[in-house]
């Protein structure tokens, strides 16, 4: 291995000259920038327990009216990424959002893309591009870059969901910004998951002949995803994972450009061994409970808990119970694939 020169070995006058000229020598930083064999990972495997998140979020509801928040969100800050971190992993922003009965989170659009994963409560809705999407537990709702969106609540109990945004990526490129908008008149029609894209394998015929909408499907109801996982679990080999990817039904590609979404089922007694990958991820338990072994660290998760897995992590997920467990996963594999450095390690 090369012994690289350090900064201290350079004459002070030279270092000062470089600094005055806004120049820096690479060689003392070389191994920090490009370590051998494995990236330096500051992000830690970390668990955010629902029993902590929920009361803290409800307290935010008492302390801060929505008019003073625009979005009432608590950010999941990965402890390895520093005290001011607003990232759950290097690329993934996760927020827990609370909306109280009768409240309204005003219309805006922004350059980062977002999704919602509904955790609790009934009567919440999001209007995306004029499409009114009901929010039921486990539903995935997309809010892609540049699409107008607003949230409201017609129910009686608090509604809480998880937001995932590619904000750390868009922000690092100094491209993150939002635009305020006027309230949208939501269409009276049910959202496209209940109409045009009701069944896998079927798309509106007209979409074959003309330019397809970029984001034809905004809402992926949990009821359908859960049913599909259960059906699949009966035929998938015990050594393979029961996992479904959320895709764009018109293109077959991942449904958003930077972050990817999937749902998995852990059968009773199952130990799942996802392939080691260069992507980081956040997992959220929709139902059931289990244990995740991440780079040798054990995380015990229960319903509505959320945990982060670093890039290149060695992962095992165990369900020791007699009931199935269901996890939702956000990862940055779509971006890594597009940029040409995504890797899987056998
Ligand atoms: O609901 O539009 O967690 O704009 C962060 C930024 C949620 C939202 C977040 C946002 C939103």
């Amino acid at each position: 291995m090369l012994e690289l020169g350090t900064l201290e070995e350079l004459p002070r006058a030279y270092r000062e000259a470089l600094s005055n000229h806004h120049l820096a020598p690479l060689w003392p930083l070389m191994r920090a920038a490009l370590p051998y064999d494995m990236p330096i990972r500051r992000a830690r495997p970390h668990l955010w327990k629902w029993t902590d998140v929920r009361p803290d979020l409800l307290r935010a509801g008492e302390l801060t009216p929505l008019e003073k928040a625009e979005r009432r969100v608590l950010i999941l800050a990965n402890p390895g990424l520093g005290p001011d971190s607003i990232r759950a992993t290097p690329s993934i922003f996760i927020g827990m959002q609370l909306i109280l009965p009768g409240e309204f989170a005003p219309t805006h659009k922004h350059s980062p893309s977002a999704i919602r994963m509904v955790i609790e409560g009934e009567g919440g809705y999001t209007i995306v591009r004029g499409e009114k999407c009901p929010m039921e537990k486990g539903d995935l709702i997309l809010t892609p870059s540049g699409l107008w969106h607003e949230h409201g609540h017609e129910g009686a109990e608090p509604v809480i969901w998880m937001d995932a945004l590619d904000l750390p990526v868009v922000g690092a490129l100094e491209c993150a910004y939002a635009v305020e908008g006027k309230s949208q008149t939501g269409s009276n029609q049910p959202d496209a998951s209940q109409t045009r894209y009701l069944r896998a394998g079927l798309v509106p015929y007209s979409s074959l002949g003309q330019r397809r909408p970029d984001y034809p499907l905004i809402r992926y109801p949990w009821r359908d995803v859960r049913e599909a996982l259960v059906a699949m679990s009966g035929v998938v080999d015990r050594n393979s994972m029961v996992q479904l990817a959320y895709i764009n039904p018109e293109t077959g590609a991942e449904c958003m450009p930077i972050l990817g979404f999937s749902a998995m089922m852990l059968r009773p007694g199952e130990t799942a061994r996802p392939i080691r990958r260069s992507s980081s991820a956040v997992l959220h338990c929709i139902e059931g409970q289990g244990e995740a072994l991440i780079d040798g660290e054990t995380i015990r998760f229960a319903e509505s808990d959320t945990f982060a897995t670093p890039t290149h992590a060695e992962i095992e997920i165990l369900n020791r119970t007699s009931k199935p467990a269901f996890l939702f996963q956000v990862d940055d594999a779509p971006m890594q694939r597009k940029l040409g450095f995504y890797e899987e390690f056998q």
Side-chain angles (χ1 to χ4, degrees):
M1 212 186 273
L2 289 173
E3 262 304 319
L4 301 177
T6 66
L7 201 57
E8 293 68 36
E9 283 166 15
L10 297 170
R12 176 187 288 272
Y14 178 64
R15 280 188 266 153
E16 277 172 18
L18 288 181
S19 162
N20 289 337
H21 301 152
H22 303 286
L23 294 169
L26 170 61
W27 58 97
L29 308 173
M30 191 64 184
R31 284 287 77 79
L34 286 173
Y36 284 127
D37 301 326
M38 187 74 162
I40 294 168
R41 298 165 309 151
R42 294 170 59 226
R44 311 255 348 115
H46 189 78
L47 173 71
W48 290 269
K49 291 206 71 68
W50 181 237
T51 49
D52 293 331
V53 169
R54 188 176 186 276
D56 287 350
L57 197 48
L58 291 173
R59 184 79 178 117
E62 293 163 5
L63 295 172
T64 305
L66 201 48
E67 302 78 55
K68 288 234 174 173
E70 187 175 340
R71 300 293 191 262
R72 192 190 289 110
V73 170
L74 293 180
I75 301 162
L76 271 48
N78 189 298
L81 297 173
D84 301 325
S85 162
I86 60 159
R87 302 176 293 170
T89 80
S91 59
I92 306 173
F93 169 102
I94 298 286
M96 294 293 181
Q97 181 159 174
L98 167 69
I99 180 160
L100 295 168
E103 283 186 333
F104 178 70
T107 314
H108 70 188
K109 61 179 184 179
H110 36 71
S111 49
S113 292
I115 61 101
R116 330 279 156 208
M117 165 50 54
V118 184
I119 303 177
E120 175 183 306
E122 272 156 41
Y125 67 86
T126 292
I127 305 178
V128 185
R129 201 186 44 198
E131 196 167 332
K132 186 170 179 181
C133 298
M135 301 178 98
E136 288 167 19
K137 183 176 164 66
D139 288 358
L140 171 69
I141 293 166
L142 309 185
T143 312
S145 174
L147 298 196
W148 293 112
H149 56 281
E150 64 200 55
H151 317 302
H153 190 349
E154 293 160 339
E157 298 294 324
V159 165
I160 301 177
W161 63 77
M162 176 175 107
D163 297 310
L165 279 82
D166 52 20
L167 181 58
V169 175
V170 182
L173 302 181
E174 297 190 347
C175 288
Y177 76 105
V179 180
E180 269 188 290
K182 291 198 188 67
S183 186
Q184 308 169 82
T185 340
S187 147
N188 289 327
Q189 288 179 5
D191 71 277
S193 71
Q194 306 176 60
T195 54
R196 292 180 176 78
Y197 300 94
L198 186 60
R199 292 276 179 275
L202 293 173
V203 297
Y205 184 76
S206 62
S207 73
L208 299 178
Q210 65 188 30
R211 206 186 93 74
R212 300 161 170 160
D214 287 341
Y215 296 100
L217 189 56
I218 291 292
R219 172 172 176 252
Y220 298 75
W222 175 241
R223 194 189 308 114
D224 299 342
V225 179
R226 191 185 189 285
E227 190 182 305
L229 286 168
V230 170
M232 193 177 163
S233 72
V235 295
V236 170
D237 191 288
R238 287 297 290 187
N239 299 318
S240 304
M241 287 181 62
V242 182
Q243 186 172 15
L244 288 167
Y246 295 84
I247 58 158
N248 177 323
E250 292 282 358
T251 64
E254 290 121 340
C255 51
M256 300 241 282
I258 295 181
L259 300 182
F261 313 99
S262 58
M264 61 183 88
M265 173 174 162
L266 301 166
R267 291 162 284 192
E270 178 166 354
T271 300
R273 292 186 181 81
I275 197 155
R276 191 164 76 83
R277 319 190 296 160
S278 53
S279 42
S280 66
V282 171
L283 288 100
H284 174 79
C285 179
I286 299 179
E287 186 186 318
Q289 59 183 72
E291 248 171 74
L293 218 71
I294 308 166
D295 288 333
E297 242 178 79
T298 303
I299 277 177
R300 277 176 238 287
F301 61 85
E303 184 169 326
S304 304
D305 287 352
T306 306
F307 58 97
T309 69
T311 62
H312 291 249
E314 200 78 73
I315 302 170
E316 266 184 26
I317 315 176
L318 290 76
N319 176 7
R320 297 186 197 271
T321 75
S322 56
K323 295 201 175 117
F326 294 90
L327 291 170
F328 171 70
Q329 174 169 281
V330 181
D331 62 47
D332 59 1
M335 171 182 67
Q336 293 198 5
R337 286 191 195 100
K338 288 189 186 75
L339 299 182
F341 63 87
Y342 176 74
E343 284 184 279
E344 294 185 346
F345 307 93
Q346 293 303 329

